Amino acid sequence: VRDDDRQMVIASNNGANDDPSLNLNLNADPDLHVEVPGQDFAATAEPLTGSDYDQQWKQITAKFPFFVEHQEKAGDRRIPIVALTEAD
């Protein structure tokens, strides 16, 4: 999901109890290469926390309400949101 100069990755894992491998990999090595239609760039991944997380979750679930269902299925696991920011 695009947010200004960042791409958001929602690690919902379709509501599973565990984070997807992608999220674990981004936490282990936050430097990556992003390819989306019309863009190709090096980026750094940063898990969102606090008010940034809350704001993004509200915006994302307003546009994509199925993520609310994923959160309900995930139970106590808070679905991570990871911001991908273009590297300098």
Side-chain angles (χ1 to χ4, degrees):
V1 175
R2 187 94 163 110
D3 178 60
D4 294 326
D5 62 340
R6 305 184 295 178
Q7 295 278 352
M8 300 296 151
V9 175
I10 300 89
S12 75
N13 204 14
N14 201 27
N17 291 327
D18 298 319
D19 288 342
S21 297
L22 170 67
N23 190 59
L24 301 173
N25 291 340
L26 291 176
N27 286 331
D29 184 3
D31 298 321
L32 66 147
H33 187 84
V34 177
E35 293 181 24
V36 294
Q39 293 181 298
D40 186 351
F41 57 92
T44 302
E46 179 181 357
L48 299 186
T49 60
S51 62
D52 196 13
Y53 178 95
D54 295 339
Q55 178 184 4
Q56 288 299 323
W57 182 254
K58 184 177 179 179
Q59 291 175 353
I60 290 165
T61 56
K63 288 182 183 178
F64 306 101
F66 62 88
F67 283 121
V68 174
E69 296 170 15
H70 289 190
Q71 182 59 71
E72 290 169 357
K73 287 173 35 179
D76 292 337
R77 178 177 78 89
R78 185 178 191 190
I79 292 176
I81 302 173
V82 180
L84 306 181
T85 305
E86 190 167 353
D88 296 329

